[in-house]
Every structure is written in structure tokens, then in C-alpha cells.
Amino acid sequence: MKKIFIALVLFIFGITQVALADPELRDYNGVELPAGTFIQVISMQEISTLSTDENNTLRFVATNDTFMFDTNLIPKGTMFFGKIEKKNEPIIGTNASMVIRITKLRFADGYENPLYAYIYSNNGCLIGGEMTEPASYDTIPHYHKGICRHYLGVLKWVPGPSRKMGEHVTIAPGAELLIMLKGPAYLTHSLSD
């Protein structure tokens, strides 16, 4: 009975020591990069609505470090990978257009992190899609009031009713682009200098 009592006391004493001990955790927690963050990149290959398929992997490289406070979250040289999410062919009156989605990033040490981002342009995330130039111009008279209430007329050139055929959109290799995060990116990895 004495041996069982000593074993029980040692067991309870051991459990309390384990519960009171601080576990040695790393002091780095993940960081949330908020939606709407812009990251400056360059294109690594030519991207065109004429020759690039929707299942081709597109590569981009970060040209600047992205900091949040004092932490370098995305260092210069980080690779970004994406695909053409939507592609529209050129038609009469409208140029071709495409939407490029960024799916992941890869740090220099090979660690990958998923992203929900798009290549940003002046038209939101749509690259291209502008209206084409008119195929012809027509002349119409334009009258304005002259001296002593006499109306003077001039001929004015205005766009005609038809437009030219649209052209394909091309992003040259080395073109400077912006990636805009559409959702928050949870980065649990950083490179130390």
C-alpha cells in the first residue's frame, strides 16, 4: 500500500510539473497581408491573347521588398505564378482583353504560399478591352453665332458609324505590372537576412 501511495504522489507531482512548464514555442506568428495591397512585379515572359493559352503558367518576379512595419514580408526576387482566368478575342469595335489571376508565390528558399490576387490595370483587373478607332470620319456642319447675329458655319469631322477591327493585347517580357491582393494573404514564413 505504501508503494502505491508513493507512486501516486510521484505521478501527480510529475503531472503538475509538466503543466506548469512553459513550452518552448517559436516567437514568430503568421502575418496577415491585407486585401488591397499592391506588389510591384515584372513579367518573365510575353503574355498575349493571341498565343498564350488559359492553362499556361505565367511567372512574375517582385522588383521591390514589401514591408509591414519593420518586417520584410515579400523580399525582392520572390516569384509569383498565375494563369489567364478569362480571355476575350478581338471583335469589331473592341480590342482583345484578358484577366490574369495570381495563384501562389514562391520565396527564394522554395517555400510556397497560396494567394488570391490579380494583375491590376487602369480598368480594374481587365487588361485591354478598349474601344477601337473609327473606321471612317464624316463631316457635319457646325454653326456658331458670329458678329451681329450672323450664324457662321464650319465643317466638323466626327467619327463615323463603324469601327475598326480590334487588335490582340500583348504584355512584353520585363513589363512593370502591379499585383493587387483581392483577399488577405496569410504569410507564415519569412526569410531572415
Side-chain angles (χ1 to χ4, degrees):
M1 182 75 175
K2 195 175 191 182
K3 290 182 181 178
I4 295 174
F5 178 73
I6 292 174
L8 186 61
V9 169
L10 289 176
F11 178 73
I12 293 173
F13 180 75
I15 290 176
T16 57
Q17 288 298 324
V18 171
L20 294 176
D22 288 329
E24 293 185 23
L25 299 176
R26 61 183 184 160
D27 66 353
Y28 179 76
N29 294 327
V31 177
E32 179 181 328
L33 199 58
T37 302
F38 288 101
I39 303 166
Q40 190 172 7
V41 296
I42 59 171
S43 173
M44 295 300 292
Q45 77 262 14
E46 181 178 86
I47 305 167
S48 173
T49 55
L50 177 64
S51 60
T52 308
D53 293 330
E54 292 179 350
N55 52 5
N56 289 359
T57 301
L58 308 176
R59 295 182 320 244
F60 305 92
V61 174
T63 57
N64 293 331
D65 295 330
T66 302
F67 284 90
M68 181 177 279
F69 303 110
D70 292 338
T71 306
N72 185 2
L73 296 179
I74 301 175
K76 180 179 178 179
T78 301
M79 293 284 295
F80 292 86
F81 297 93
K83 294 183 182 282
I84 294 179
E85 186 175 72
K86 183 179 181 185
K87 180 168 75 168
N88 297 323
E89 295 295 325
I91 58 173
I92 294 175
T94 306
N95 290 329
S97 63
M98 61 183 158
V99 176
I100 300 175
R101 181 174 179 188
I102 304 301
T103 56
K104 67 179 176 178
L105 66 87
R106 180 185 299 155
F107 292 102
D109 62 353
Y111 183 81
E112 294 182 354
N113 201 48
L115 284 181
Y116 175 50
Y118 288 91
I119 296 293
Y120 182 76
S121 68
N122 293 336
N123 196 12
C125 296
L126 184 69
I127 300 168
E130 300 91 5
M131 184 181 284
T132 60
E133 295 181 2
S136 64
Y137 286 89
D138 297 334
T139 57
I140 61 167
H142 176 73
Y143 298 102
H144 61 279
K145 194 175 195 180
I147 301 173
C148 297
R149 296 187 179 190
H150 293 291
Y151 289 95
L152 302 173
V154 294
L155 291 178
K156 181 178 177 182
W157 289 95
V158 295
S162 60
R163 297 271 175 182
K164 291 182 180 178
M165 180 66 185
E167 298 177 355
H168 285 280
V169 175
T170 302
I171 297 174
E176 294 182 1
L177 303 167
L178 286 175
I179 292 176
M180 183 178 76
L181 295 178
K182 287 289 192 174
Y186 300 101
L187 302 176
T188 58
H189 181 77
S190 67
L191 297 176
S192 58
D193 293 333

Coordinates of all heavy atoms in Angstrom, one line a residue, residues 18-101:
V18 N 4.7 19.2 -15.4 CA 4.6 19.3 -16.8 C 3.6 20.4 -17.2 O 3.8 21.2 -18.1 CB 4.1 18.0 -17.5 CG1 3.8 18.1 -18.9 CG2 5.3 16.9 -17.3
A19 N 2.5 20.5 -16.4 CA 1.5 21.6 -16.7 C 2.1 23.0 -16.4 O 1.7 23.9 -17.0 CB 0.3 21.3 -15.8
L20 N 3.0 23.1 -15.4 CA 3.5 24.4 -15.1 C 4.6 24.9 -16.0 O 5.0 26.0 -16.0 CB 4.0 24.4 -13.6 CG 2.8 24.3 -12.6 CD1 3.5 24.2 -11.2 CD2 1.8 25.4 -12.7
A21 N 5.3 23.9 -16.7 CA 6.4 24.3 -17.5 C 5.9 25.0 -18.8 O 4.9 24.7 -19.3 CB 7.1 23.0 -17.9
D22 N 6.7 26.0 -19.2 CA 6.3 26.8 -20.4 C 6.9 26.0 -21.6 O 8.0 25.7 -21.6 CB 7.0 28.2 -20.4 CG 6.3 29.1 -19.4 OD1 5.1 29.0 -19.2 OD2 7.0 30.0 -18.9
P23 N 6.0 25.8 -22.6 CA 6.5 25.1 -23.8 C 7.4 26.1 -24.6 O 7.1 27.3 -24.6 CB 5.3 24.7 -24.5 CG 4.2 25.7 -24.1 CD 4.6 26.0 -22.6
E24 N 8.4 25.6 -25.2 CA 9.3 26.4 -26.0 C 8.7 26.6 -27.4 O 8.9 25.7 -28.2 CB 10.7 25.9 -26.0 CG 11.4 25.9 -24.7 CD 12.8 25.4 -24.8 OE1 13.4 25.5 -25.9 OE2 13.3 25.0 -23.8
L25 N 8.0 27.6 -27.6 CA 7.4 27.9 -28.9 C 8.3 28.9 -29.6 O 8.9 29.8 -29.0 CB 6.0 28.5 -28.7 CG 5.0 27.6 -28.0 CD1 3.7 28.3 -27.9 CD2 4.7 26.3 -28.8
R26 N 8.3 28.9 -30.9 CA 9.0 29.9 -31.7 C 8.2 31.2 -31.5 O 7.0 31.2 -31.4 CB 9.1 29.5 -33.2 CG 7.7 29.4 -33.8 CD 7.9 28.9 -35.3 NE 6.6 28.9 -35.9 CZ 6.4 28.9 -37.2 NH1 7.4 29.0 -38.0 NH2 5.2 28.9 -37.7
D27 N 8.9 32.3 -31.6 CA 8.3 33.6 -31.3 C 7.8 34.3 -32.6 O 7.5 35.4 -32.6 CB 9.2 34.5 -30.5 CG 10.4 34.9 -31.3 OD1 10.6 34.4 -32.4 OD2 11.2 35.8 -30.9
Y28 N 7.7 33.6 -33.7 CA 7.2 34.1 -34.9 C 5.8 33.6 -35.2 O 5.6 32.4 -35.4 CB 8.1 33.8 -36.1 CG 7.7 34.3 -37.4 CD1 7.8 35.7 -37.7 CD2 7.0 33.5 -38.3 CE1 7.3 36.2 -38.9 CE2 6.6 34.0 -39.5 CZ 6.7 35.4 -39.8 OH 6.3 35.9 -41.0
N29 N 4.8 34.5 -35.3 CA 3.5 34.1 -35.7 C 3.3 34.5 -37.1 O 4.0 35.4 -37.6 CB 2.4 34.7 -34.8 CG 2.5 34.2 -33.4 OD1 2.9 33.1 -33.2 ND2 2.3 35.1 -32.4
G30 N 2.3 34.0 -37.8 CA 1.9 34.4 -39.1 C 1.5 35.8 -39.2 O 1.0 36.4 -38.2
V31 N 1.6 36.4 -40.3 CA 1.2 37.8 -40.6 C 0.2 37.8 -41.7 O 0.3 37.1 -42.6 CB 2.5 38.6 -41.0 CG1 2.0 40.1 -41.3 CG2 3.5 38.6 -39.9
E32 N -0.8 38.6 -41.5 CA -1.9 38.8 -42.5 C -1.6 40.0 -43.3 O -1.6 41.1 -42.8 CB -3.2 38.9 -41.8 CG -4.4 39.1 -42.8 CD -5.7 39.2 -42.2 OE1 -5.9 38.6 -41.1 OE2 -6.6 39.9 -42.7
L33 N -1.3 39.8 -44.6 CA -1.2 40.9 -45.5 C -2.6 41.3 -46.0 O -3.2 40.5 -46.6 CB -0.3 40.5 -46.7 CG 0.4 41.5 -47.5 CD1 1.3 42.4 -46.7 CD2 1.2 40.9 -48.6
P34 N -3.1 42.5 -45.8 CA -4.5 42.8 -46.0 C -4.8 42.9 -47.5 O -4.0 43.1 -48.4 CB -4.6 44.2 -45.4 CG -3.3 44.8 -45.4 CD -2.3 43.6 -45.2
A35 N -6.1 42.7 -47.8 CA -6.6 42.8 -49.2 C -6.4 44.2 -49.6 O -6.5 45.2 -48.9 CB -8.1 42.4 -49.2
G36 N -6.1 44.4 -50.9 CA -5.9 45.7 -51.5 C -4.5 46.1 -51.5 O -4.1 47.2 -52.0
T37 N -3.6 45.2 -51.0 CA -2.1 45.5 -51.1 C -1.6 45.4 -52.5 O -1.9 44.5 -53.2 CB -1.4 44.6 -50.1 OG1 -1.9 44.7 -48.8 CG2 0.1 44.9 -50.1
F38 N -0.8 46.4 -52.9 CA -0.2 46.3 -54.2 C 1.3 45.8 -54.1 O 2.0 46.3 -53.2 CB -0.2 47.7 -54.9 CG -1.5 48.2 -55.3 CD1 -2.3 49.1 -54.5 CD2 -2.1 47.7 -56.5 CE1 -3.5 49.5 -54.9 CE2 -3.3 48.1 -56.9 CZ -4.1 49.0 -56.1
I39 N 1.7 45.0 -55.0 CA 3.0 44.4 -55.1 C 3.5 44.7 -56.5 O 2.9 44.3 -57.5 CB 3.1 42.9 -54.8 CG1 2.4 42.7 -53.4 CG2 4.5 42.4 -54.8 CD1 2.1 41.3 -53.1
Q40 N 4.7 45.4 -56.6 CA 5.2 45.7 -57.9 C 6.0 44.5 -58.4 O 6.9 44.0 -57.7 CB 6.1 46.9 -57.8 CG 6.5 47.5 -59.1 CD 7.3 48.8 -59.0 OE1 7.5 49.2 -57.9 NE2 7.6 49.4 -60.1
V41 N 5.7 44.1 -59.7 CA 6.4 42.9 -60.3 C 6.7 43.2 -61.7 O 6.3 44.2 -62.3 CB 5.5 41.6 -60.2 CG1 5.2 41.2 -58.8 CG2 4.2 41.9 -61.0
I42 N 7.6 42.3 -62.3 CA 7.8 42.4 -63.8 C 7.4 41.0 -64.4 O 7.5 40.0 -63.7 CB 9.3 42.8 -64.1 CG1 10.3 41.8 -63.5 CG2 9.6 44.2 -63.7 CD1 11.7 42.0 -64.0
S43 N 7.0 41.1 -65.6 CA 6.7 39.8 -66.3 C 7.9 39.1 -66.8 O 8.9 39.7 -67.3 CB 5.8 40.2 -67.5 OG 5.5 39.0 -68.3
M44 N 7.9 37.8 -66.7 CA 9.1 37.0 -67.1 C 9.0 36.5 -68.5 O 9.9 35.9 -69.0 CB 9.3 35.8 -66.1 CG 9.6 36.2 -64.7 SD 11.1 37.2 -64.6 CE 12.3 36.0 -65.0
Q45 N 7.8 36.5 -69.1 CA 7.6 36.1 -70.5 C 6.6 36.9 -71.2 O 5.9 37.7 -70.5 CB 7.2 34.6 -70.5 CG 5.8 34.3 -70.2 CD 5.6 33.9 -68.8 OE1 6.5 34.0 -68.0 NE2 4.4 33.3 -68.5
E46 N 6.5 36.8 -72.5 CA 5.5 37.5 -73.2 C 4.1 36.9 -73.0 O 3.9 35.7 -73.1 CB 5.8 37.5 -74.7 CG 4.8 38.3 -75.5 CD 5.1 38.3 -77.0 OE1 4.8 37.3 -77.7 OE2 5.8 39.3 -77.4
I47 N 3.1 37.7 -72.7 CA 1.7 37.3 -72.4 C 0.9 37.9 -73.5 O 0.8 39.1 -73.6 CB 1.3 37.6 -71.0 CG1 2.2 37.1 -70.0 CG2 -0.1 37.1 -70.8 CD1 2.0 37.6 -68.6
S48 N 0.2 37.1 -74.3 CA -0.6 37.7 -75.4 C -1.9 36.9 -75.5 O -2.0 35.7 -75.3 CB 0.2 37.6 -76.7 OG -0.6 37.9 -77.8
T49 N -3.0 37.6 -75.9 CA -4.2 37.0 -76.1 C -4.2 36.1 -77.4 O -5.0 35.3 -77.6 CB -5.4 38.0 -76.2 OG1 -5.1 38.9 -77.3 CG2 -5.6 38.7 -74.9
L50 N -3.2 36.4 -78.2 CA -3.1 35.6 -79.5 C -2.4 34.3 -79.3 O -2.9 33.2 -79.8 CB -2.3 36.4 -80.5 CG -2.0 35.8 -81.8 CD1 -3.3 35.5 -82.6 CD2 -1.0 36.6 -82.7
S51 N -1.3 34.2 -78.5 CA -0.5 33.0 -78.4 C -0.5 32.3 -77.0 O -0.2 31.1 -76.9 CB 0.9 33.3 -78.7 OG 1.4 34.3 -77.8
T52 N -1.0 33.0 -75.9 CA -0.9 32.4 -74.6 C -2.3 31.7 -74.3 O -3.3 32.3 -74.4 CB -0.7 33.4 -73.5 OG1 0.5 34.1 -73.9 CG2 -0.5 32.8 -72.2
D53 N -2.2 30.4 -73.9 CA -3.4 29.7 -73.6 C -3.8 29.9 -72.1 O -3.0 30.4 -71.3 CB -3.2 28.2 -73.8 CG -3.1 27.8 -75.2 OD1 -3.7 28.5 -76.1 OD2 -2.4 26.8 -75.5
E54 N -5.0 29.6 -71.8 CA -5.5 29.8 -70.4 C -4.9 28.8 -69.4 O -5.0 29.0 -68.2 CB -7.0 29.7 -70.4 CG -7.7 30.8 -71.1 CD -9.2 30.8 -71.1 OE1 -9.7 29.7 -70.7 OE2 -9.8 31.8 -71.5
N55 N -4.3 27.7 -69.9 CA -3.7 26.8 -68.9 C -2.2 26.9 -68.9 O -1.5 26.1 -68.2 CB -4.1 25.3 -69.3 CG -3.8 25.0 -70.8 OD1 -3.2 25.8 -71.5 ND2 -4.2 23.8 -71.2
N56 N -1.6 27.9 -69.5 CA -0.1 28.2 -69.4 C 0.1 28.8 -68.0 O -0.6 29.7 -67.6 CB 0.4 29.1 -70.5 CG 0.4 28.4 -71.9 OD1 0.0 27.2 -72.0 ND2 0.8 29.1 -72.9
T57 N 1.2 28.4 -67.4 CA 1.7 29.0 -66.2 C 2.4 30.3 -66.5 O 3.4 30.3 -67.2 CB 2.5 28.1 -65.3 OG1 1.8 26.9 -65.1 CG2 2.9 28.7 -64.0
L58 N 2.0 31.4 -65.9 CA 2.7 32.7 -66.1 C 3.5 33.0 -64.8 O 3.1 32.7 -63.7 CB 1.6 33.8 -66.3 CG 0.6 33.5 -67.3 CD1 -0.5 34.6 -67.4 CD2 1.2 33.4 -68.7
R59 N 4.7 33.6 -65.1 CA 5.6 33.9 -64.0 C 5.9 35.4 -63.9 O 6.1 36.0 -64.9 CB 6.9 33.1 -64.2 CG 6.8 31.6 -64.1 CD 8.2 31.0 -64.3 NE 8.9 31.7 -65.3 CZ 9.3 31.1 -66.5 NH1 9.0 29.9 -66.8 NH2 10.0 31.8 -67.4
F60 N 6.0 35.9 -62.7 CA 6.3 37.3 -62.4 C 7.3 37.3 -61.3 O 7.4 36.4 -60.4 CB 5.1 38.0 -62.0 CG 4.0 37.9 -63.0 CD1 3.0 36.9 -62.9 CD2 3.9 38.8 -64.1 CE1 2.0 36.8 -63.8 CE2 2.8 38.7 -65.0 CZ 1.9 37.7 -64.9
V61 N 8.2 38.3 -61.2 CA 9.2 38.5 -60.1 C 9.0 39.8 -59.5 O 8.8 40.9 -60.1 CB 10.6 38.4 -60.7 CG1 11.6 38.7 -59.7 CG2 10.8 37.0 -61.3
A62 N 9.0 39.8 -58.1 CA 8.9 41.1 -57.4 C 10.1 41.9 -57.5 O 11.3 41.4 -57.5 CB 8.7 40.8 -55.9
T63 N 9.9 43.2 -57.8 CA 11.1 44.1 -58.0 C 11.4 44.9 -56.8 O 12.5 45.5 -56.7 CB 10.7 45.1 -59.1 OG1 9.5 45.8 -58.8 CG2 10.5 44.4 -60.5
N64 N 10.6 44.9 -55.8 CA 10.8 45.7 -54.5 C 10.5 44.8 -53.3 O 9.7 43.9 -53.4 CB 10.0 46.9 -54.4 CG 10.4 48.0 -55.5 OD1 11.5 48.0 -55.9 ND2 9.4 48.8 -55.9
D65 N 11.1 45.1 -52.2 CA 10.7 44.5 -50.9 C 9.3 45.0 -50.5 O 9.1 46.2 -50.6 CB 11.7 44.7 -49.8 CG 13.1 44.1 -50.2 OD1 13.1 43.1 -50.8 OD2 14.1 44.7 -49.7
T66 N 8.5 44.1 -49.9 CA 7.2 44.6 -49.4 C 7.3 44.5 -47.9 O 7.4 43.4 -47.3 CB 6.1 43.7 -49.9 OG1 6.1 43.8 -51.4 CG2 4.7 44.2 -49.4
F67 N 7.2 45.6 -47.2 CA 7.3 45.7 -45.8 C 6.0 45.9 -45.1 O 5.1 46.5 -45.7 CB 8.3 46.8 -45.3 CG 9.7 46.5 -45.6 CD1 10.3 46.8 -46.8 CD2 10.5 46.0 -44.6 CE1 11.6 46.6 -47.0 CE2 11.8 45.7 -44.8 CZ 12.4 46.0 -46.0
M68 N 5.8 45.4 -43.9 CA 4.8 45.7 -43.0 C 5.4 46.1 -41.7 O 6.0 45.2 -41.0 CB 3.7 44.6 -42.8 CG 2.6 45.0 -41.9 SD 1.4 43.7 -41.7 CE 0.4 44.0 -43.2
F69 N 5.4 47.3 -41.4 CA 6.2 47.9 -40.2 C 7.7 47.6 -40.5 O 8.2 48.1 -41.4 CB 5.7 47.3 -38.9 CG 4.2 47.6 -38.7 CD1 3.3 46.6 -38.7 CD2 3.7 48.9 -38.5 CE1 1.9 46.8 -38.6 CE2 2.4 49.2 -38.3 CZ 1.5 48.1 -38.4
D70 N 8.3 46.8 -39.6 CA 9.7 46.6 -39.8 C 10.0 45.2 -40.4 O 11.2 44.8 -40.5 CB 10.5 46.6 -38.4 CG 10.5 48.1 -37.9 OD1 10.3 49.0 -38.7 OD2 10.6 48.2 -36.7
T71 N 9.0 44.4 -40.7 CA 9.2 43.1 -41.2 C 9.1 43.1 -42.7 O 8.1 43.6 -43.3 CB 8.0 42.2 -40.7 OG1 8.0 42.3 -39.2 CG2 8.3 40.7 -41.0
N72 N 10.1 42.5 -43.4 CA 10.1 42.3 -44.8 C 9.3 41.0 -45.1 O 9.8 39.9 -45.0 CB 11.5 42.2 -45.3 CG 11.6 42.1 -46.8 OD1 10.6 42.2 -47.5 ND2 12.8 42.0 -47.3
L73 N 8.1 41.2 -45.6 CA 7.2 40.1 -45.8 C 7.5 39.4 -47.1 O 7.5 38.2 -47.2 CB 5.7 40.5 -45.7 CG 5.3 41.0 -44.4 CD1 3.8 41.4 -44.4 CD2 5.4 39.9 -43.3
I74 N 7.6 40.2 -48.2 CA 7.9 39.7 -49.5 C 9.2 40.3 -50.0 O 9.2 41.5 -50.4 CB 6.7 39.9 -50.5 CG1 5.4 39.3 -49.9 CG2 7.0 39.4 -51.9 CD1 4.2 39.6 -50.7
P75 N 10.3 39.6 -50.0 CA 11.5 40.2 -50.4 C 11.6 40.3 -51.9 O 10.9 39.6 -52.7 CB 12.6 39.2 -49.9 CG 11.9 37.9 -49.6 CD 10.4 38.3 -49.4
K76 N 12.5 41.2 -52.4 CA 12.8 41.4 -53.8 C 13.3 40.0 -54.4 O 14.1 39.3 -53.8 CB 13.9 42.4 -53.9 CG 14.3 42.7 -55.3 CD 15.3 43.8 -55.4 CE 15.7 44.1 -56.8 NZ 16.7 45.2 -56.8
G77 N 12.7 39.7 -55.5 CA 13.1 38.4 -56.2 C 12.2 37.3 -55.9 O 12.4 36.2 -56.5
T78 N 11.1 37.5 -55.2 CA 10.1 36.5 -54.9 C 9.3 36.2 -56.2 O 8.9 37.1 -56.9 CB 9.1 36.9 -53.8 OG1 9.9 37.2 -52.6 CG2 8.1 35.9 -53.6
M79 N 9.1 34.9 -56.6 CA 8.4 34.5 -57.8 C 6.9 34.5 -57.5 O 6.5 34.0 -56.5 CB 8.9 33.2 -58.3 CG 10.3 33.2 -58.8 SD 10.5 33.9 -60.4 CE 9.6 32.8 -61.4
F80 N 6.1 34.9 -58.5 CA 4.7 34.8 -58.4 C 4.2 34.0 -59.6 O 4.8 34.2 -60.7 CB 4.0 36.2 -58.4 CG 4.2 37.0 -57.2 CD1 5.4 37.8 -57.1 CD2 3.3 37.0 -56.2 CE1 5.6 38.5 -55.9 CE2 3.5 37.7 -55.0 CZ 4.7 38.5 -54.9
F81 N 3.2 33.1 -59.4 CA 2.7 32.3 -60.5 C 1.2 32.6 -60.7 O 0.5 32.8 -59.7 CB 3.0 30.8 -60.2 CG 4.4 30.5 -60.0 CD1 5.0 30.5 -58.8 CD2 5.2 30.1 -61.2 CE1 6.4 30.2 -58.7 CE2 6.5 29.8 -61.1 CZ 7.1 29.9 -59.8
G82 N 0.8 32.5 -61.9 CA -0.6 32.8 -62.2 C -1.0 32.1 -63.5 O -0.2 31.5 -64.2
K83 N -2.3 32.4 -63.9 CA -2.9 31.9 -65.1 C -3.8 32.9 -65.7 O -4.3 33.8 -64.9 CB -3.6 30.6 -64.9 CG -2.8 29.4 -64.5 CD -3.6 28.1 -64.3 CE -2.8 27.0 -63.9 NZ -2.0 26.4 -64.9
I84 N -4.1 32.8 -66.9 CA -5.2 33.7 -67.5 C -6.5 33.1 -67.1 O -6.8 32.0 -67.5 CB -5.0 33.7 -69.1 CG1 -3.7 34.4 -69.4 CG2 -6.2 34.5 -69.7 CD1 -3.5 34.5 -70.9
E85 N -7.2 33.9 -66.3 CA -8.5 33.4 -65.9 C -9.6 33.6 -66.9 O -10.5 32.7 -67.1 CB -8.9 34.2 -64.6 CG -10.2 33.6 -63.9 CD -10.5 34.3 -62.6 OE1 -10.9 35.5 -62.7 OE2 -10.3 33.7 -61.6
K86 N -9.6 34.6 -67.7 CA -10.6 34.9 -68.7 C -9.9 35.6 -69.9 O -9.1 36.5 -69.7 CB -11.7 35.8 -68.1 CG -12.8 36.0 -69.1 CD -13.9 36.9 -68.4 CE -15.0 37.1 -69.4 NZ -16.0 38.0 -68.9
K87 N -10.2 35.2 -71.1 CA -9.6 35.8 -72.3 C -10.7 36.0 -73.3 O -11.6 35.1 -73.6 CB -8.6 34.8 -72.8 CG -7.9 35.3 -74.1 CD -6.7 34.5 -74.4 CE -7.0 33.2 -75.0 NZ -5.9 32.5 -75.6
N88 N -10.8 37.2 -73.8 CA -11.8 37.6 -74.9 C -11.0 37.9 -76.2 O -10.0 38.7 -76.1 CB -12.6 38.8 -74.4 CG -13.4 38.5 -73.2 OD1 -14.0 37.4 -73.1 ND2 -13.5 39.5 -72.3
E89 N -11.5 37.4 -77.3 CA -10.9 37.6 -78.6 C -11.3 39.0 -79.1 O -12.3 39.6 -78.7 CB -11.3 36.6 -79.6 CG -10.8 35.2 -79.2 CD -9.3 35.0 -79.3 OE1 -8.7 35.7 -80.2 OE2 -8.7 34.3 -78.5
P90 N -10.5 39.6 -80.0 CA -10.9 40.9 -80.5 C -12.1 40.8 -81.5 O -12.2 39.8 -82.2 CB -9.6 41.3 -81.3 CG -8.9 40.1 -81.6 CD -9.2 39.1 -80.5
I91 N -12.9 41.8 -81.4 CA -14.1 41.9 -82.3 C -14.1 43.3 -83.0 O -13.3 44.1 -82.6 CB -15.4 41.6 -81.6 CG1 -15.6 42.6 -80.4 CG2 -15.4 40.2 -81.1 CD1 -16.9 42.5 -79.8
I92 N -15.0 43.5 -83.9 CA -15.1 44.8 -84.5 C -15.6 45.8 -83.4 O -16.6 45.6 -82.8 CB -16.1 44.8 -85.7 CG1 -15.5 43.9 -86.8 CG2 -16.3 46.2 -86.2 CD1 -16.5 43.7 -87.9
G93 N -14.7 46.8 -83.2 CA -15.1 47.8 -82.3 C -14.4 47.7 -80.9 O -14.4 48.6 -80.1
T94 N -13.9 46.5 -80.6 CA -13.3 46.3 -79.2 C -12.0 45.5 -79.4 O -12.0 44.4 -80.1 CB -14.3 45.6 -78.3 OG1 -15.5 46.3 -78.3 CG2 -13.7 45.5 -76.9
N95 N -11.0 45.9 -78.7 CA -9.7 45.1 -78.6 C -9.9 43.9 -77.8 O -10.8 43.8 -76.9 CB -8.6 46.0 -78.1 CG -8.2 47.1 -79.1 OD1 -8.3 46.9 -80.3 ND2 -7.7 48.2 -78.5
A96 N -9.0 43.0 -77.9 CA -9.0 41.8 -77.1 C -8.7 42.1 -75.6 O -8.2 43.2 -75.3 CB -7.9 40.8 -77.5
S97 N -9.1 41.3 -74.7 CA -8.9 41.5 -73.3 C -8.6 40.2 -72.5 O -8.9 39.1 -73.0 CB -10.1 42.2 -72.6 OG -11.2 41.4 -72.7
M98 N -8.0 40.3 -71.3 CA -7.7 39.2 -70.5 C -7.7 39.6 -69.1 O -7.4 40.7 -68.7 CB -6.4 38.5 -70.9 CG -5.2 39.3 -70.8 SD -3.7 38.4 -71.4 CE -2.6 39.8 -71.8
V99 N -7.9 38.6 -68.2 CA -7.8 38.8 -66.7 C -6.8 37.8 -66.3 O -7.0 36.6 -66.5 CB -9.2 38.6 -66.1 CG1 -9.1 38.7 -64.6 CG2 -10.2 39.6 -66.6
I100 N -5.8 38.2 -65.6 CA -4.7 37.3 -65.1 C -4.8 37.2 -63.6 O -4.8 38.2 -62.8 CB -3.3 37.8 -65.4 CG1 -3.2 38.0 -67.0 CG2 -2.2 36.9 -64.9 CD1 -1.9 38.6 -67.4
R101 N -5.0 35.9 -63.1 CA -5.1 35.6 -61.7 C -3.8 35.1 -61.2 O -3.2 34.2 -61.8 CB -6.2 34.7 -61.4 CG -6.3 34.4 -59.9 CD -7.5 33.5 -59.6 NE -7.5 33.3 -58.1 CZ -8.3 32.5 -57.6 NH1 -9.2 31.8 -58.2 NH2 -8.3 32.3 -56.3

